Amino acid sequence: MAPHATYALAAHEESFHRQFPLDKSLAIQSQEFSAADPAVGGDERDVDLELREGGEGNVVTLSGMELEELKATVLGFESEPQDSDGHLGAEELTTFPLPTLARRLKEMSATIHGETGHVLIRGINSIPFTYLQKVIAHTGLTSHLAGKRAMSGIEGGDKTVLHHVTALSTAYYAHHEYHAPSNQAGPLLFHTDLGHILSLFTVSQSLTGGEFYLADTRKVWEKLKDRRPDLATTLLDDWAWESPSISKQTERGPIVILHKSQVFMNCSRVRISGTTTRSRPEFLPPLTSQQLEALELLQSVASDVAISFRFQQGDMLVFNNLGMMHARSSFIDQEHSGHKRHLLRLIARNDFAADILPQSFRERLERLYEHEDKDEKFDIFRNPFMFAAGH
């Protein structure tokens, strides 16, 4: 085990990377939420979502016994590191033992990988966890649902596995040219991230807005075919978008992937359309009128079938990113009163329940998981998304 060390907090833009377990001497406390500048707005191209169907999805509230078990495990993990590698074990669940809750988490994993596609875990906020303990609880619970974490930005050289979905002020971007939509307060259109299972933990919520939406890709596809079969075919065609890789500029492929009776979406709006701070590059062919119309229809249809969530502090939403698109409405923070929307994001894979994918798509996803757990970086501070890890 590496010697314990005390880390001092520095300026806003300073990154802090450290492997689990995290030293109790780490002083995060109020500095973690000390940014005073107002958050910037979202992408000007985005429009607010209007859902015509919806209702909150599959919610599971943890029992008092399960919460006590979780609390004991988090406190034990924090005070007594489990192994010599200094990380939160992914292959062996005994590194984060939950003898009672593990059985229920196994059932939740089956739900996430099945037709329902998601689970919202509620009740964790009743435990008075510190911020650091919330990170440990989120990571430990996720390891039971999908054990192998992804380095979502590895193609761009980013080994971070924990990311922060929260609005960052312009002060954070003095040395960053890319301002990800995930780090703005505007709405996010329906899209998918790169990876299998997304796990989001609500550290804190905004004053208003910030509703979260999930749309089942099978329902989206059926409506697309019924409404405009010509545009549905366009989404099956070969598209070009900006690659997150440092070794190549362009990637190609369909937006909708049909394989063995399943419907997968590969739809990163950032890489396909660009953003206000990073336009679609000139080396890519411009999107055709047919492609633009197909993207607009995809947004409309996803809104039609989506279910909505208004997160509470401590909520943990885990869903199958390969079978569900997601979106978010705009929001307003009021940080001085404790209303600051801040979600933790992990992407992971369950080796025993991963969806069967076509080879080309499977090979691309596999690159996110080809690493040792000890090489993972957990970014504790609210640092911005790199382009390679964005969506």
Side-chain angles (χ1 to χ4, degrees), residues 47-59:
V47 293
D48 280 311
L49 304 164
E50 295 181 2
L51 293 220
R52 287 167 283 282
E53 298 176 10
E56 195 164 87
N58 186 36
V59 180

Side-chain angles (χ1 to χ4, degrees), residues 241-251 281 283-284 387:
W241 57 81
E242 185 175 5
S243 172
S245 174
I246 56 178
S247 62
K248 59 181 179 180
Q249 288 185 317
T250 307
E251 288 186 348
F283 59 76
L284 294 174
F387 177 75

Side-chain angles (χ1 to χ4, degrees), residues 67-68 71 75 123-131 133-134:
L67 291 169
E68 283 299 318
K71 178 181 177 181
L75 295 179
I124 300 172
N125 196 50
S126 63
I127 307 173
F129 281 148
T130 65
Y131 171 71
Q133 290 165 352
K134 291 175 182 177

Side-chain angles (χ1 to χ4, degrees), residues 175 200 314 337:
H175 305 290
L200 301 172
S337 64

Side-chain angles (χ1 to χ4, degrees), residues 262-376:
Q262 299 188 74
V263 180
F264 304 111
M265 294 282 182
N266 184 25
C267 186
S268 168
R269 297 300 295 248
V270 164
R271 292 172 191 153
I272 296 169
S273 306
T275 72
T276 53
T277 60
R278 190 182 180 113
S279 301
R280 182 176 167 91
E282 293 184 357
F283 59 76
L284 294 174
L287 294 174
T288 67
S289 59
Q290 184 91 347
Q291 287 176 322
L292 290 171
E293 191 176 3
L295 288 175
E296 290 180 6
L297 180 63
L298 181 62
Q299 167 71 19
S300 175
V301 169
S303 298
D304 284 347
V305 303
I307 55 176
S308 62
F309 302 84
R310 173 62 182 173
F311 291 148
Q312 300 176 15
Q313 193 167 330
D315 278 357
M316 180 172 162
L317 178 66
V318 188
F319 63 93
N320 186 348
N321 176 66
L322 298 174
M324 306 201 85
M325 304 185 76
H326 59 285
R328 183 200 69 205
S329 67
S330 60
F331 61 90
I332 297 174
D333 286 333
Q334 192 179 74
E335 194 163 0
H336 68 270
S337 64
H339 295 287
K340 173 65 179 176
R341 192 178 192 276
H342 180 195
L343 307 182
L344 306 176
R345 186 195 78 164
L346 289 168
I347 296 178
R349 182 189 67 194
N350 186 325
D351 288 333
F352 301 102
D355 294 278
I356 299 174
L357 299 169
Q359 184 175 355
S360 59
F361 194 31
R362 183 173 64 249
E363 289 176 352
R364 185 183 178 207
L365 291 180
E366 286 298 319
R367 296 197 290 267
L368 308 180
Y369 306 97
E370 293 175 346
H371 63 268
E372 298 294 329
D373 295 344
K374 62 183 177 63
D375 296 326
E376 295 174 349

Side-chain angles (χ1 to χ4, degrees), residues 157-206:
D158 181 9
K159 295 184 177 181
T160 304
V161 295
L162 179 69
H163 291 91
H164 302 265
V165 182
T166 190
L168 300 178
S169 71
T170 52
Y172 283 83
Y173 288 89
H175 305 290
H176 299 276
E177 64 177 24
Y178 177 63
H179 195 167
S182 302
N183 295 139
Q184 302 182 51
L188 295 179
L189 297 178
F190 278 97
H191 64 280
T192 58
D193 292 7
L194 189 61
H196 292 72
I197 303 300
L198 255 68
S199 179
L200 301 172
F201 182 88
T202 307
V203 177
S204 52
Q205 188 52 286
S206 57

Side-chain angles (χ1 to χ4, degrees), residues 177-243:
E177 64 177 24
Y178 177 63
H179 195 167
S182 302
N183 295 139
Q184 302 182 51
L188 295 179
L189 297 178
F190 278 97
H191 64 280
T192 58
D193 292 7
L194 189 61
H196 292 72
I197 303 300
L198 255 68
S199 179
L200 301 172
F201 182 88
T202 307
V203 177
S204 52
Q205 188 52 286
S206 57
L207 179 65
T208 61
E211 287 78 13
F212 192 87
Y213 307 107
L214 286 177
D216 188 314
T217 56
R218 294 163 301 179
K219 295 180 180 179
V220 171
W221 178 243
E222 289 304 315
K223 277 189 171 285
L224 279 169
K225 289 192 302 179
D226 290 343
R227 192 176 299 182
R228 287 288 302 274
D230 58 323
L231 295 181
T233 300
T234 298
L235 293 169
L236 294 171
D237 290 341
D238 191 55
W239 291 55
W241 57 81
E242 185 175 5
S243 172

